[in-house]
Amino acid sequence: MWRERRRALLLLVAGAALGLIGAALASAPPEAALKVGFYHATCPIAEDVVLAEMRLILMEDATVAPSLLRMHYHDCFVQGCDGSIMLQSRKKGKAERDALPNRSMRGFDAIERIKARLETVCPLTVSCADIIAMAARDAVYLSHGPWYDVETGRRDGNVTVAEYVDNDLPPPDSNIVDVKTFFSVKSLNSKDIAVLFGCHSIGTSHCGPIQKRLYNFTGNMDGQDPSLDPAYAAELRKLCPPPRPGDDARKVKVPLDPGSNYTFDLSYYRHVLATGGLFQSDGSLLHDPVTRGYVEKVAKASSPDEYYADFAAAMVKMGRTDVLVGDHGEIRPTCGIFVD
């Protein structure tokens, strides 16, 4: 009799323990399923393939590196890091990549090229979202920046809505209050903002996003942003004259970090501190005690090591935004499929 009772008790305890474990797993946030080396068993050469392709891509055109870094940011901020930025629509203006902030985006072909290579060695295994995350890391590394471990395990979404882009991405003329609001929705704090804006260490912009700052800052046609360094503003006005009807503001390329716009380093912070930066949002970092303090610290740093560690942590944190894992999402053979 006692043995039967003891067996029943043990079964009851075991059942309760399994229930607690199941409940704990069910309540775990999706990002908990991400990990470094997710593909070690299913596609152990995945990261090597991505890096090898990225080396070739950037040897052919080094200027695509900043756009691939930007793509990861735009992907994560709009519906989470789910690869939806790659999706296409036959209806004009419907997809994320059709939205105004993404119309100058380059690198879609590069992601497809990497995906095609991975499909030859590990079919239907590596997600587009993970490829974008790894390509962003490799773009930084191959631009003389840090190497950092990327968590993988994301799956791909199949919904793309252009309007979400304007709703979720802070525009270049954002003030610090707006920037902090956009980032806080993604669980990113003031330090994360200051760190991630360092992505502007590489790349260029066209004239459109800075014309208001140069010529119509308050909306009353009364000139430039007073926080912008006058000498730097004069240089920008030479590159970007006042807009006229019919002008294509996308023709001219303006470096985000003059003199170092394809080398990932600390000079962006020195540039922001000295001039106010290219975008109003860059200059807004100087209008908050936390972000300004970080800009000043990095600008004066004798070594990039601390910033590189902060950058790695912030990129990993951003890469966990609203991810699809497990049975959610999909792994598709092509990233840029049409949704309609």
Side-chain angles (χ1 to χ4, degrees):
M1 181 67 71
W2 165 244
R3 289 181 178 177
E4 292 177 358
R5 289 180 179 175
R6 184 171 181 270
R7 184 178 303 165
L9 181 62
L10 289 172
L11 289 172
L12 182 63
V13 170
L18 288 172
L20 289 171
I21 293 171
L25 290 173
S27 63
E31 61 267 23
L34 301 180
K35 65 178 182 178
V36 175
F38 179 85
Y39 297 109
H40 279 179
T42 57
C43 188
I45 61 171
E47 294 201 41
D48 293 335
V49 169
V50 175
L51 179 59
E53 286 299 317
M54 281 292 294
R55 287 187 188 278
L56 294 174
I57 289 165
L58 297 187
M59 283 176 61
E60 296 165 13
D61 182 4
T63 67
V64 79
S67 196
L68 289 169
L69 177 56
R70 178 177 166 220
M71 185 183 291
H72 183 40
Y73 159 53
H74 284 210
D75 185 41
C76 288
F77 264 59
V78 182
Q79 299 193 91
C81 313
D82 67 347
S84 58
I85 193 170
M86 293 294 299
L87 295 171
Q88 300 185 72
S89 172
R90 293 182 175 87
K91 299 176 182 178
K92 186 177 180 180
K94 180 183 177 182
E96 288 176 34
R97 63 199 289 177
D98 301 327
L100 182 60
N102 289 333
R103 288 179 194 168
S104 60
M105 182 78 70
R106 301 167 59 216
F108 295 109
D109 290 345
I111 298 299
E112 292 289 11
R113 172 174 164 176
I114 297 168
K115 175 64 170 174
R117 180 74 182 99
L118 283 166
E119 286 298 302
T120 65
V121 292
C122 305
L124 294 176
T125 302
V126 183
S127 70
C128 301
D130 280 344
I131 293 172
I132 292 171
M134 289 185 280
R137 184 266 314 277
D138 294 348
V140 170
Y141 175 65
L142 295 172
S143 299
H144 309 286
W147 173 271
Y148 57 92
D149 289 329
V150 172
E151 292 179 339
T152 45
R154 303 168 190 80
R155 290 169 67 84
D156 295 326
N158 55 15
V159 175
T160 182
V161 180
E163 289 82 359
Y164 293 168
V165 178
D166 292 321
N167 292 339
D168 292 342
L169 286 174
D173 62 354
S174 297
N175 59 39
I176 191 60
V177 174
D178 291 338
V179 171
K180 289 170 72 174
T181 299
F182 278 100
F183 275 68
S184 66
V185 172
K186 308 303 176 184
S187 300
L188 297 167
N189 59 33
S190 294
K191 180 181 178 181
D192 297 324
I193 292 169
V195 172
L196 291 171
F197 265 53
C199 291
H200 290 175
S201 175
I202 55 176
T204 60
S205 172
H206 50 80
C207 291
I210 62 171
Q211 283 176 333
K212 179 183 175 183
R213 193 180 190 201
L214 290 175
Y215 300 107
N216 188 23
F217 182 63
T218 65
N220 296 318
M221 301 303 294
D222 57 353
Q224 73 179 50
D225 176 357
S227 69
L228 187 61
D229 177 71
Y232 180 50
E235 293 177 17
L236 293 176
R237 283 194 294 270
K238 291 177 183 177
L239 292 171
C240 301
R244 296 178 300 179
D247 283 353
D248 186 354
R250 295 172 297 180
K251 286 184 178 180
V252 177
K253 299 296 184 183
V254 184
L256 296 174
D257 181 16
S260 179
N261 56 310
Y262 291 109
T263 300
F264 192 94
D265 54 22
L266 307 186
S267 64
Y268 163 77
Y269 292 96
R270 301 183 189 110
H271 174 58
V272 169
L273 190 60
T275 69
L278 181 64
F279 300 136
Q280 184 180 341
S281 56
D282 291 319
S284 79
L285 296 178
L286 303 178
H287 303 154
D288 174 86
V290 174
T291 54
R292 183 184 182 95
Y294 193 84
V295 170
E296 290 176 342
K297 181 175 73 170
V298 177
K300 298 172 184 176
S302 58
S303 166
D305 293 349
E306 182 178 357
Y307 172 68
Y308 285 174
D310 289 342
F311 180 78
M315 287 293 285
V316 169
K317 185 176 179 181
M318 184 185 75
R320 295 170 178 167
T321 304
D322 298 331
V323 292
L324 300 173
V325 297
D327 296 329
H328 299 283
E330 63 185 11
I331 305 295
R332 51 180 178 263
T334 304
C335 295
I337 62 170
F338 286 91
V339 296
D340 50 24

